Amino acid sequence: MNAAGTTLVPDARATGPAGLLADLGDGGVTPLATHRRRYPAPPPAGPAPRADLISVVADSGLGGRGGAGFPTGEKLRAVAARRGPRVVVVNASEGEPASAKDRLLLTRAPHLVLDGAVLAAAAVGAETVVVAVDRAHTAALDAVRQAIVERRGERATVDLRLAATPTRYVAGESSALVRWLDGGPAKPTGASAHAGAPGGVEGRPTLVQNVETLAHLAQILRYGSGWFRATGTADEPGTALVTVTGAVRRPCVMEVPWGTPVSDLLGRAGGPTEQLQALLVGGFSGAWVPAPAAFDAPFSRAGLAPFAASPGAGVIVALPEAACGLTETARVLDWFAAESAGQCGPCVRGLPALAGAAAALPRDSSGDAAARLRRWADDIEGRGGCRHPDGAVALLRSALDVFAADLARHARGDGCAGAGRPPVLAVPVPAAGWR
């Protein structure tokens, strides 16, 4: 389900026999026996890193699917190079409200993800794997818990543990997740915890990896780097899971090769239900792009760069012409302010100021108001304790550009295009607490 409670169906077309969505079955959790009829058990992990496994992943060109796209092979090598007992953390927090891909994998194909985690452990020489799942995602927690129990009948290769994390957006940031696993609040520390740097779980070298990334890793180590590079583009090989929602007939999670035109993704989601004015690409910390100008853009980092956008966590939300993009953006900025860890000036003072001024735009759309917001955005960007305020700034800037016509309409006193319409973006209510 997405944040609004709408069930998102998987669209497994064109993923191939080894696609991540190919074996989701009839809607239930794929049991281990069914999974093993197709895929053999991973090789045993141990305290010695496996350079051969790391080389295959590096040659595949797999990038992280959590949003940043950091090369997975480099992360594996960095953790393997450090001395001492190593840890693999499966980052299943999925704090991005517009994404449902990781939850889908965990609730329907948990063994594919666990295979990837065990293989990553073998690659870096870890004997402990912690699967960290947002405690609000009860179906995913139940599926992973049962999957771990099922694996007790197999030859033990790693110590698999399950942890239920706080429902906070920044709790999925790597240093925040490590801090929480060590008994602290799920707030970013500003330290690098994703590439084997000091300060991992219990001070140990720690690989923090996204759910989808590990599922891809499992298939790459089964079928080879050449198989993975046969789809996608030369610079961005392979496939990606994309959550498509908003004004489309069939909101769903789909798997597509990198470089697939945005129009094809909308088509696979049944097409728009009405004329579109913009697309939110990458999630809440992503960017608005104009429609239909972006329809022909390849869904990839390179293809979306001309629009100052990125695939991020693999998200497209279709915004209809009759909605007010300024109001939608203001709602998200208010959520950003409420979800901050409150550890730095840009979050404590900057984000509430941005949210308040953005909420006032439909009433004060003068050039001075928009210019003031841009100045504040410049003052905030790059000065936070983590990237949380930068995501809010990116969204705001794109809104001021893409919805310039709305700004002009409000400035003329012509009213709001979205007046009386239900909101398009499913903005959750922030949870309380950091433990």
Side-chain angles (χ1 to χ4, degrees), residues 17 45 262 401:
V262 168
D401 292 336

PDB file of all heavy atoms in Angstrom, residues 17 45 262 401:
ATOM      1  N   PRO A  17      12.466 -13.734 -16.988  1.00  0.00           N
ATOM      2  CA  PRO A  17      12.313 -14.820 -16.014  1.00  0.00           C
ATOM      3  C   PRO A  17      13.068 -14.601 -14.709  1.00  0.00           C
ATOM      4  O   PRO A  17      12.751 -15.220 -13.706  1.00  0.00           O
ATOM      5  CB  PRO A  17      12.862 -16.042 -16.771  1.00  0.00           C
ATOM      6  CG  PRO A  17      13.764 -15.469 -17.813  1.00  0.00           C
ATOM      7  CD  PRO A  17      13.154 -14.169 -18.208  1.00  0.00           C
ATOM      8  N   ALA A  45      28.570 -17.823   4.186  1.00  0.00           N
ATOM      9  CA  ALA A  45      29.369 -16.646   4.517  1.00  0.00           C
ATOM     10  C   ALA A  45      30.389 -17.038   5.579  1.00  0.00           C
ATOM     11  O   ALA A  45      30.306 -18.090   6.189  1.00  0.00           O
ATOM     12  CB  ALA A  45      28.488 -15.512   5.019  1.00  0.00           C
ATOM     13  N   VAL A 262       9.616   7.980 -20.013  1.00  0.00           N
ATOM     14  CA  VAL A 262       8.639   8.244 -18.956  1.00  0.00           C
ATOM     15  C   VAL A 262       7.226   7.945 -19.445  1.00  0.00           C
ATOM     16  O   VAL A 262       6.390   7.419 -18.696  1.00  0.00           O
ATOM     17  CB  VAL A 262       8.764   9.700 -18.481  1.00  0.00           C
ATOM     18  CG1 VAL A 262       7.586  10.097 -17.597  1.00  0.00           C
ATOM     19  CG2 VAL A 262      10.081   9.907 -17.730  1.00  0.00           C
ATOM     20  N   ASP A 401       9.598  26.927 -10.380  1.00  0.00           N
ATOM     21  CA  ASP A 401       9.833  26.967 -11.827  1.00  0.00           C
ATOM     22  C   ASP A 401       8.663  26.366 -12.607  1.00  0.00           C
ATOM     23  O   ASP A 401       8.129  26.984 -13.534  1.00  0.00           O
ATOM     24  CB  ASP A 401      11.114  26.212 -12.185  1.00  0.00           C
ATOM     25  CG  ASP A 401      12.367  26.909 -11.679  1.00  0.00           C
ATOM     26  OD1 ASP A 401      12.315  28.136 -11.478  1.00  0.00           O
ATOM     27  OD2 ASP A 401      13.387  26.223 -11.476  1.00  0.00           O
TER      28      ASP A 401
END
